[in-house]
PDB file of all heavy atoms in Angstrom:
ATOM      1  N   ILE X  37      -7.922   2.456  -2.434  1.00  0.00           N
ATOM      2  CA  ILE X  37      -7.177   1.415  -3.131  1.00  0.00           C
ATOM      3  C   ILE X  37      -8.016   0.890  -4.287  1.00  0.00           C
ATOM      4  O   ILE X  37      -9.244   0.961  -4.253  1.00  0.00           O
ATOM      5  CB  ILE X  37      -6.796   0.243  -2.204  1.00  0.00           C
ATOM      6  CG1 ILE X  37      -8.042  -0.379  -1.585  1.00  0.00           C
ATOM      7  CG2 ILE X  37      -5.848   0.693  -1.139  1.00  0.00           C
ATOM      8  CD1 ILE X  37      -7.768  -1.734  -0.981  1.00  0.00           C
ATOM      9  N   TRP X  44      -2.788  -4.850  -5.979  1.00  0.00           N
ATOM     10  CA  TRP X  44      -3.518  -3.744  -5.370  1.00  0.00           C
ATOM     11  C   TRP X  44      -2.727  -2.464  -5.540  1.00  0.00           C
ATOM     12  O   TRP X  44      -1.525  -2.436  -5.310  1.00  0.00           O
ATOM     13  CB  TRP X  44      -3.763  -4.027  -3.892  1.00  0.00           C
ATOM     14  CG  TRP X  44      -4.625  -5.219  -3.686  1.00  0.00           C
ATOM     15  CD1 TRP X  44      -4.201  -6.513  -3.615  1.00  0.00           C
ATOM     16  CD2 TRP X  44      -6.028  -5.242  -3.555  1.00  0.00           C
ATOM     17  NE1 TRP X  44      -5.280  -7.342  -3.441  1.00  0.00           N
ATOM     18  CE2 TRP X  44      -6.417  -6.592  -3.395  1.00  0.00           C
ATOM     19  CE3 TRP X  44      -7.033  -4.262  -3.541  1.00  0.00           C
ATOM     20  CZ2 TRP X  44      -7.739  -6.987  -3.236  1.00  0.00           C
ATOM     21  CZ3 TRP X  44      -8.338  -4.659  -3.373  1.00  0.00           C
ATOM     22  CH2 TRP X  44      -8.688  -6.005  -3.231  1.00  0.00           C
ATOM     23  N   GLU X  45      -3.430  -1.399  -5.930  1.00  0.00           N
ATOM     24  CA  GLU X  45      -2.779  -0.107  -6.100  1.00  0.00           C
ATOM     25  C   GLU X  45      -3.406   0.911  -5.165  1.00  0.00           C
ATOM     26  O   GLU X  45      -4.557   0.767  -4.766  1.00  0.00           O
ATOM     27  CB  GLU X  45      -2.930   0.370  -7.548  1.00  0.00           C
ATOM     28  CG  GLU X  45      -2.145  -0.478  -8.510  1.00  0.00           C
ATOM     29  CD  GLU X  45      -2.535  -0.213  -9.946  1.00  0.00           C
ATOM     30  OE1 GLU X  45      -3.262   0.766 -10.195  1.00  0.00           O
ATOM     31  OE2 GLU X  45      -2.115  -0.997 -10.804  1.00  0.00           O
ATOM     32  N   VAL X  46      -2.629   1.926  -4.844  1.00  0.00           N
ATOM     33  CA  VAL X  46      -3.106   2.972  -3.943  1.00  0.00           C
ATOM     34  C   VAL X  46      -3.460   4.199  -4.766  1.00  0.00           C
ATOM     35  O   VAL X  46      -2.746   4.547  -5.701  1.00  0.00           O
ATOM     36  CB  VAL X  46      -2.007   3.324  -2.919  1.00  0.00           C
ATOM     37  CG1 VAL X  46      -2.472   4.412  -1.973  1.00  0.00           C
ATOM     38  CG2 VAL X  46      -1.619   2.086  -2.134  1.00  0.00           C
ATOM     39  N   VAL X  63       1.050  -3.665  -5.021  1.00  0.00           N
ATOM     40  CA  VAL X  63       1.478  -4.691  -4.066  1.00  0.00           C
ATOM     41  C   VAL X  63       0.568  -5.904  -4.161  1.00  0.00           C
ATOM     42  O   VAL X  63      -0.545  -5.825  -4.660  1.00  0.00           O
ATOM     43  CB  VAL X  63       1.495  -4.155  -2.619  1.00  0.00           C
ATOM     44  CG1 VAL X  63       2.590  -3.136  -2.438  1.00  0.00           C
ATOM     45  CG2 VAL X  63       0.159  -3.566  -2.233  1.00  0.00           C
ATOM     46  N   SER X  65      -0.732  -7.698  -1.660  1.00  0.00           N
ATOM     47  CA  SER X  65      -1.732  -8.006  -0.637  1.00  0.00           C
ATOM     48  C   SER X  65      -2.623  -6.802  -0.361  1.00  0.00           C
ATOM     49  O   SER X  65      -2.173  -5.648  -0.389  1.00  0.00           O
ATOM     50  CB  SER X  65      -1.046  -8.489   0.631  1.00  0.00           C
ATOM     51  OG  SER X  65      -0.854  -7.434   1.503  1.00  0.00           O
ATOM     52  N   GLU X  66      -3.873  -7.112  -0.116  1.00  0.00           N
ATOM     53  CA  GLU X  66      -4.856  -6.057   0.132  1.00  0.00           C
ATOM     54  C   GLU X  66      -4.567  -5.285   1.425  1.00  0.00           C
ATOM     55  O   GLU X  66      -4.554  -4.055   1.409  1.00  0.00           O
ATOM     56  CB  GLU X  66      -6.266  -6.655   0.161  1.00  0.00           C
ATOM     57  CG  GLU X  66      -7.339  -5.607   0.286  1.00  0.00           C
ATOM     58  CD  GLU X  66      -8.702  -6.196   0.595  1.00  0.00           C
ATOM     59  OE1 GLU X  66      -8.843  -7.429   0.504  1.00  0.00           O
ATOM     60  OE2 GLU X  66      -9.610  -5.432   0.919  1.00  0.00           O
ATOM     61  N   PRO X  67      -4.330  -5.994   2.563  1.00  0.00           N
ATOM     62  CA  PRO X  67      -4.084  -5.231   3.797  1.00  0.00           C
ATOM     63  C   PRO X  67      -2.897  -4.277   3.695  1.00  0.00           C
ATOM     64  O   PRO X  67      -2.934  -3.175   4.237  1.00  0.00           O
ATOM     65  CB  PRO X  67      -3.832  -6.304   4.859  1.00  0.00           C
ATOM     66  CG  PRO X  67      -3.736  -7.585   4.153  1.00  0.00           C
ATOM     67  CD  PRO X  67      -4.408  -7.431   2.847  1.00  0.00           C
ATOM     68  N   LEU X  68      -1.857  -4.694   2.968  1.00  0.00           N
ATOM     69  CA  LEU X  68      -0.687  -3.818   2.815  1.00  0.00           C
ATOM     70  C   LEU X  68      -1.059  -2.563   2.042  1.00  0.00           C
ATOM     71  O   LEU X  68      -0.702  -1.446   2.429  1.00  0.00           O
ATOM     72  CB  LEU X  68       0.443  -4.581   2.110  1.00  0.00           C
ATOM     73  CG  LEU X  68       1.757  -3.829   2.001  1.00  0.00           C
ATOM     74  CD1 LEU X  68       2.291  -3.494   3.381  1.00  0.00           C
ATOM     75  CD2 LEU X  68       2.785  -4.647   1.237  1.00  0.00           C
ATOM     76  N   ALA X  69      -1.821  -2.742   0.943  1.00  0.00           N
ATOM     77  CA  ALA X  69      -2.250  -1.577   0.168  1.00  0.00           C
ATOM     78  C   ALA X  69      -3.103  -0.658   1.028  1.00  0.00           C
ATOM     79  O   ALA X  69      -2.963   0.574   0.983  1.00  0.00           O
ATOM     80  CB  ALA X  69      -3.036  -2.040  -1.050  1.00  0.00           C
ATOM     81  N   ARG X  70      -3.964  -1.265   1.850  1.00  0.00           N
ATOM     82  CA  ARG X  70      -4.815  -0.442   2.718  1.00  0.00           C
ATOM     83  C   ARG X  70      -3.977   0.317   3.740  1.00  0.00           C
ATOM     84  O   ARG X  70      -4.242   1.483   4.047  1.00  0.00           O
ATOM     85  CB  ARG X  70      -5.835  -1.324   3.441  1.00  0.00           C
ATOM     86  CG  ARG X  70      -6.959  -1.749   2.541  1.00  0.00           C
ATOM     87  CD  ARG X  70      -8.023  -2.508   3.309  1.00  0.00           C
ATOM     88  NE  ARG X  70      -9.053  -2.983   2.411  1.00  0.00           N
ATOM     89  CZ  ARG X  70     -10.093  -2.264   2.020  1.00  0.00           C
ATOM     90  NH1 ARG X  70     -10.239  -1.033   2.467  1.00  0.00           N
ATOM     91  NH2 ARG X  70     -10.982  -2.764   1.191  1.00  0.00           N
ATOM     92  N   ALA X  71      -2.954  -0.354   4.270  1.00  0.00           N
ATOM     93  CA  ALA X  71      -2.107   0.304   5.263  1.00  0.00           C
ATOM     94  C   ALA X  71      -1.349   1.471   4.635  1.00  0.00           C
ATOM     95  O   ALA X  71      -1.169   2.514   5.263  1.00  0.00           O
ATOM     96  CB  ALA X  71      -1.131  -0.700   5.874  1.00  0.00           C
ATOM     97  N   ILE X  72      -0.910   1.293   3.374  1.00  0.00           N
ATOM     98  CA  ILE X  72      -0.202   2.390   2.704  1.00  0.00           C
ATOM     99  C   ILE X  72      -1.159   3.556   2.461  1.00  0.00           C
ATOM    100  O   ILE X  72      -0.814   4.724   2.671  1.00  0.00           O
ATOM    101  CB  ILE X  72       0.417   1.904   1.375  1.00  0.00           C
ATOM    102  CG1 ILE X  72       1.517   0.899   1.660  1.00  0.00           C
ATOM    103  CG2 ILE X  72       0.995   3.069   0.590  1.00  0.00           C
ATOM    104  CD1 ILE X  72       2.068   0.237   0.428  1.00  0.00           C
ATOM    105  N   ALA X  73      -2.393   3.219   2.049  1.00  0.00           N
ATOM    106  CA  ALA X  73      -3.385   4.278   1.846  1.00  0.00           C
ATOM    107  C   ALA X  73      -3.644   5.017   3.157  1.00  0.00           C
ATOM    108  O   ALA X  73      -3.745   6.253   3.182  1.00  0.00           O
ATOM    109  CB  ALA X  73      -4.675   3.685   1.306  1.00  0.00           C
TER     110      ALA X  73
END
Side-chain angles (χ1 to χ4, degrees):
Chain X
I37 58 165
W44 297 87
E45 292 167 11
V46 180
V63 291
S65 94
E66 185 192 349
L68 185 61
R70 284 186 184 275
I72 293 173

